[in-house]
Amino acid sequence: MLDWVTDPNIWIGFFTLVALEIVLGIDNIIFISILAGKLPPEQRDRARVLGLAAALISRLLLLLGLSWVVQLTEPLFTVLGHEISGRDLILLLGGLFLLGKSVTEIHHAMEGPTGKDGKQAAAASFSSVILQIMVLDIVFSLDSVITAVGMVNNIGVMVAAVVVSVLVMLFASGPISRFVESHPSIKMLALAFLVLIGVVLVAEGLEQHINKGFIYFAMAFSVIVELLNIRMRSRHTKQEEAAPKMD
């Protein structure tokens, strides 16, 4: 009954799937961080926890409904010679939603806040932020579960890997969110990533496969370059502050 404990294949599949789920969850963390950052500071942690809890629940429900997930790949209708399945439709709509939301957030970041009544706007936005997070969670969860099904045949391993990966994302989301909020250039870069991910989702919905390894490599490379820029700007600022004291 406990043969799985000594089965190296199960442990290799588990750790591989955890790592992959965390990588696939990066876009989810970015989206949650951007939306939670619009709320008052005292509400941000609660929004992140609720958002990731919704992600965990949606992933587990999809795993428990594997037969339904498999049926999503069956064609529903044809548009311009392309067969559109339920999965394609979800990815297409989710990608368009993410594109629209990201472009809107970039516009707001460029124009600055325009609301007059800060309290009412924050109270009204909390429920809408959670709703938007839940909508995208479904899209990201579908991609995550399809990946899990393709890698591991053991439902217990898939559930355990999903739970562990979401817990890791929960602990990482706070520091990531605070770092993004404290560095406007990183926030703009994160929004640009979301635009890119939205394009990828739309392409996937239209059966145009894009290797996500290239996407994540480009994202990681851009972040490293921006971190070097931040370090360089910080050093120059310290040198300028120290210069008058030396005179």
Side-chain angles (χ1 to χ4, degrees), residues 13 16-24 63 66 69 87 139-153 158 162 209 212 216:
T16 303
L17 189 54
V18 167
L20 206 61
E21 290 288 324
I22 291 173
V23 171
L24 291 174
L63 281 173
L66 285 179
V69 173
R87 172 183 176 273
V139 179
F140 292 140
S141 295
L142 183 65
D143 192 25
S144 172
V145 168
I146 289 174
T147 301
V149 173
M151 286 189 60
V152 181
N153 294 324
M158 287 188 281
V162 166
H209 179 67
K212 291 185 179 178
Y216 288 121

Coordinates of all heavy atoms in Angstrom, one line a residue, residues 13 16-24 63 66 69 87 139-153 158 162 209 212 216:
G13 N 8.6 12.3 -10.8 CA 7.4 12.9 -11.4 C 6.8 14.0 -10.6 O 6.4 15.1 -11.0
T16 N 9.3 17.1 -10.5 CA 9.3 17.7 -11.8 C 8.0 18.5 -12.0 O 8.1 19.6 -12.5 CB 9.5 16.6 -12.9 OG1 10.7 15.9 -12.7 CG2 9.5 17.3 -14.3
L17 N 6.9 17.9 -11.6 CA 5.6 18.6 -11.8 C 5.5 19.8 -10.9 O 5.0 20.8 -11.3 CB 4.5 17.6 -11.5 CG 3.1 18.0 -11.8 CD1 3.0 18.5 -13.3 CD2 2.1 16.9 -11.6
V18 N 6.0 19.7 -9.7 CA 6.0 20.9 -8.8 C 6.8 22.0 -9.4 O 6.3 23.2 -9.5 CB 6.6 20.5 -7.4 CG1 6.9 21.8 -6.6 CG2 5.7 19.6 -6.6
A19 N 8.0 21.7 -9.9 CA 8.8 22.8 -10.6 C 8.1 23.4 -11.8 O 8.1 24.6 -11.9 CB 10.1 22.2 -11.0
L20 N 7.5 22.5 -12.6 CA 6.8 23.0 -13.8 C 5.5 23.8 -13.4 O 5.2 24.9 -14.0 CB 6.3 21.8 -14.6 CG 6.2 22.1 -16.1 CD1 7.5 22.6 -16.7 CD2 5.7 20.9 -16.9
E21 N 4.8 23.4 -12.3 CA 3.6 24.2 -11.9 C 4.0 25.5 -11.4 O 3.3 26.5 -11.6 CB 2.9 23.4 -10.8 CG 2.2 22.1 -11.3 CD 1.0 22.4 -12.1 OE1 0.3 23.4 -11.8 OE2 0.7 21.7 -13.1
I22 N 5.2 25.6 -10.7 CA 5.6 26.9 -10.2 C 6.0 27.8 -11.3 O 5.6 29.0 -11.3 CB 6.8 26.7 -9.2 CG1 6.4 26.0 -8.0 CG2 7.5 28.1 -8.9 CD1 7.5 25.6 -7.1
V23 N 6.7 27.3 -12.4 CA 7.0 28.1 -13.5 C 5.8 28.6 -14.2 O 5.7 29.8 -14.6 CB 7.9 27.3 -14.5 CG1 8.1 28.0 -15.8 CG2 9.3 27.0 -13.9
L24 N 4.8 27.7 -14.4 CA 3.5 28.0 -15.1 C 2.7 29.0 -14.2 O 1.9 29.7 -14.8 CB 2.7 26.8 -15.4 CG 3.3 25.8 -16.5 CD1 2.4 24.6 -16.5 CD2 3.3 26.5 -17.8
L63 N -8.7 18.8 -11.8 CA -8.1 17.5 -11.6 C -9.1 16.4 -11.3 O -9.1 15.3 -11.8 CB -7.0 17.5 -10.5 CG -5.7 18.1 -10.9 CD1 -4.8 18.3 -9.7 CD2 -5.0 17.3 -12.0
L66 N -11.3 15.2 -14.5 CA -10.4 14.9 -15.7 C -11.1 14.5 -16.9 O -10.7 14.9 -18.0 CB -9.4 13.8 -15.3 CG -8.2 14.3 -14.4 CD1 -7.3 13.1 -14.1 CD2 -7.4 15.4 -15.0
V69 N -12.2 17.6 -18.6 CA -11.1 18.3 -19.2 C -10.7 17.7 -20.5 O -10.4 18.3 -21.5 CB -9.9 18.3 -18.2 CG1 -8.6 18.9 -18.9 CG2 -10.2 19.1 -16.9
R87 N -11.5 24.0 -24.9 CA -10.2 24.5 -24.4 C -9.8 25.7 -25.2 O -9.3 26.7 -24.6 CB -9.2 23.4 -24.5 CG -7.8 23.8 -24.1 CD -6.8 22.7 -24.3 NE -5.4 23.2 -24.1 CZ -4.6 23.7 -25.0 NH1 -5.1 23.8 -26.2 NH2 -3.4 24.1 -24.7
V139 N -8.4 30.1 -16.5 CA -7.6 29.9 -17.7 C -6.2 29.3 -17.4 O -5.8 28.4 -18.0 CB -7.4 31.3 -18.4 CG1 -6.6 31.1 -19.7 CG2 -8.8 31.8 -18.8
F140 N -5.5 29.9 -16.4 CA -4.2 29.4 -16.0 C -4.3 28.0 -15.4 O -3.4 27.2 -15.6 CB -3.6 30.4 -15.0 CG -3.2 31.7 -15.5 CD1 -3.5 32.9 -14.8 CD2 -2.7 31.9 -16.8 CE1 -3.1 34.1 -15.2 CE2 -2.4 33.1 -17.3 CZ -2.6 34.3 -16.5
S141 N -5.4 27.7 -14.7 CA -5.5 26.4 -14.1 C -5.7 25.3 -15.2 O -5.2 24.2 -15.1 CB -6.7 26.4 -13.1 OG -6.5 27.2 -12.0
L142 N -6.4 25.7 -16.2 CA -6.7 24.8 -17.3 C -5.3 24.4 -18.0 O -5.1 23.2 -18.2 CB -7.6 25.4 -18.4 CG -8.0 24.5 -19.6 CD1 -8.8 23.3 -19.1 CD2 -8.8 25.3 -20.6
D143 N -4.5 25.4 -18.2 CA -3.2 25.1 -18.8 C -2.4 24.2 -17.9 O -1.7 23.3 -18.3 CB -2.5 26.4 -19.1 CG -1.3 26.3 -20.0 OD1 -1.2 25.3 -20.7 OD2 -0.4 27.1 -19.9
S144 N -2.4 24.6 -16.6 CA -1.6 23.8 -15.6 C -2.1 22.4 -15.5 O -1.2 21.5 -15.4 CB -1.8 24.5 -14.2 OG -1.2 23.8 -13.2
V145 N -3.4 22.1 -15.5 CA -3.9 20.8 -15.3 C -3.6 19.9 -16.5 O -3.3 18.8 -16.4 CB -5.4 20.8 -15.0 CG1 -6.0 19.4 -15.1 CG2 -5.6 21.4 -13.6
I146 N -3.8 20.5 -17.7 CA -3.4 19.8 -19.0 C -2.0 19.4 -19.0 O -1.6 18.3 -19.4 CB -3.8 20.6 -20.2 CG1 -5.3 20.8 -20.3 CG2 -3.2 20.0 -21.5 CD1 -5.8 21.7 -21.4
T147 N -1.1 20.2 -18.5 CA 0.3 19.9 -18.4 C 0.5 18.8 -17.4 O 1.3 17.8 -17.7 CB 1.1 21.1 -17.9 OG1 1.0 22.2 -18.9 CG2 2.6 20.8 -17.8
A148 N -0.2 18.8 -16.3 CA 0.0 17.8 -15.2 C -0.5 16.4 -15.8 O 0.1 15.4 -15.6 CB -0.8 18.2 -14.0
V149 N -1.6 16.4 -16.5 CA -2.2 15.2 -17.0 C -1.2 14.6 -18.0 O -1.1 13.4 -18.1 CB -3.6 15.4 -17.7 CG1 -4.1 14.2 -18.4 CG2 -4.6 15.8 -16.6
G150 N -0.5 15.4 -18.8 CA 0.4 14.9 -19.8 C 1.7 14.4 -19.2 O 2.4 13.6 -19.9
M151 N 2.0 14.8 -18.0 CA 3.2 14.3 -17.4 C 3.1 13.1 -16.4 O 4.0 12.2 -16.4 CB 3.9 15.5 -16.6 CG 4.5 16.6 -17.4 SD 5.4 17.7 -16.4 CE 6.6 16.6 -15.7
V152 N 2.0 13.1 -15.6 CA 1.9 12.1 -14.6 C 0.5 11.5 -14.7 O -0.5 12.1 -15.0 CB 2.0 12.8 -13.2 CG1 1.9 11.7 -12.1 CG2 3.3 13.5 -13.1
N153 N 0.5 10.1 -14.5 CA -0.8 9.4 -14.6 C -1.5 9.2 -13.3 O -2.6 8.7 -13.2 CB -0.6 8.1 -15.3 CG -0.2 8.2 -16.8 OD1 -0.6 9.1 -17.5 ND2 0.7 7.4 -17.2
M158 N -0.5 14.2 -8.8 CA -0.9 15.5 -9.4 C -1.5 16.5 -8.4 O -1.2 17.6 -8.3 CB -1.9 15.3 -10.6 CG -1.3 14.7 -11.8 SD -2.5 14.6 -13.2 CE -3.4 13.2 -12.8
V162 N 0.2 20.0 -7.2 CA -0.5 21.3 -7.3 C -0.6 22.0 -5.9 O -0.4 23.2 -5.9 CB -2.0 21.0 -7.8 CG1 -2.8 22.2 -7.7 CG2 -1.9 20.6 -9.3
H209 N 0.7 26.9 -31.8 CA 1.5 26.6 -30.6 C 2.8 27.5 -30.6 O 3.5 27.6 -31.6 CB 1.9 25.1 -30.6 CG 2.7 24.8 -29.4 ND1 2.2 24.8 -28.1 CD2 4.0 24.4 -29.3 CE1 3.2 24.4 -27.3 NE2 4.3 24.2 -28.0
K212 N 6.7 27.8 -24.9 CA 6.7 28.7 -23.7 C 8.1 28.8 -23.1 O 8.3 29.7 -22.4 CB 5.7 28.2 -22.7 CG 4.2 28.4 -23.2 CD 3.2 28.1 -22.1 CE 1.8 28.3 -22.6 NZ 0.8 27.9 -21.6
Y216 N 9.4 32.2 -21.4 CA 9.9 32.4 -20.0 C 11.4 32.8 -20.0 O 11.8 33.5 -19.1 CB 9.7 31.1 -19.3 CG 8.2 30.8 -18.9 CD1 7.5 29.7 -19.4 CD2 7.5 31.8 -18.2 CE1 6.2 29.5 -19.1 CE2 6.2 31.6 -17.9 CZ 5.5 30.4 -18.3 OH 4.2 30.3 -18.0

